[in-house]
Amino acid sequence: MSFYDSTVPAYIQILGSLSGLLSKAEAHCEVKKIAPEVLLGARLYPDMLPLSRQIQLACDFAAKGCARLSHSDVPSTPDTETSFAELRQRLAKTVDYLKTFTPAQFEGAESRDVTFPSGPNTTLTLKGQEFVNRVSFPNFYFHAAIAHGILRHNGVEIGKRDFLGVA
């Protein structure tokens, strides 16, 4: 399996599932007469980020991860989304961006140096495989899973198959 095949499709699958989760969340708000901003601002715990930020970060870890692995320009996306529709649009744009990558851009990426921010004023450099395994995938899946958890905790009828995008 190529390094491309082990990364890009995984990001695309979960970003698609997050879009589906947001559609179910929006429908839940309509049925239950919940203001969308209440659910978009929901957190699992007071010191955690809200649902909207979890979606934004999942998008960022996918897009920036692929850019860093392919040594492409790292995109910068402002976090301005305030509605379900805007978040679904961000997810769609991220998927479109990921689809611009080719397997050739990932050839040798597993052993390529990847430098990324590791704090406000510091960077860290890891080999591509280590970057994916220790940074990009764990952070991506964390934020996607927290988004799922926030929705589930707030009564949206979703499960594991929804998270995987196979419901």
Side-chain angles (χ1 to χ4, degrees), residues 42-45 47-51 53-54 57 143 146 150:
R43 303 165 186 257
L44 281 182
Y45 196 77
D47 69 350
M48 294 181 77
L49 297 170
L51 174 63
R53 190 72 182 114
Q54 301 294 341
L57 284 166
H143 292 292
I146 294 299
I150 289 169

Side-chain angles (χ1 to χ4, degrees), residues 19-36 39-40 51 84-85 88 151 154-158:
S19 186
L21 293 176
L22 291 179
S23 292
K24 287 188 175 193
E26 186 172 30
H28 176 80
C29 285
E30 290 171 13
V31 168
K32 300 291 185 179
K33 306 293 186 231
I34 298 169
L39 197 50
L40 290 168
L51 174 63
F84 288 113
R88 281 193 304 272
L151 295 175
N154 281 277
V156 179
E157 293 183 19
I158 52 174

Side-chain angles (χ1 to χ4, degrees), residues 67-137:
R68 288 186 174 106
L69 287 166
S70 65
H71 283 186
S72 301
D73 291 335
V74 177
S76 176
T77 307
D79 300 321
T80 58
E81 298 83 11
T82 60
S83 70
F84 288 113
E86 289 174 349
L87 286 168
R88 281 193 304 272
Q89 184 178 35
R90 180 167 177 159
L91 287 160
K93 285 181 179 179
T94 304
V95 167
D96 289 344
Y97 173 71
L98 296 181
K99 288 180 177 179
T100 67
F101 289 98
T102 65
Q105 290 175 280
F106 282 73
E107 286 180 17
E110 63 277 1
S111 58
R112 198 176 287 155
D113 283 342
V114 176
T115 301
F116 57 95
S118 61
N121 301 310
T122 59
T123 61
L124 184 61
T125 300
L126 299 172
K127 295 297 182 188
Q129 185 69 58
E130 194 174 14
F131 170 73
V132 168
N133 291 341
R134 289 182 46 200
V135 179
S136 190
F137 271 169

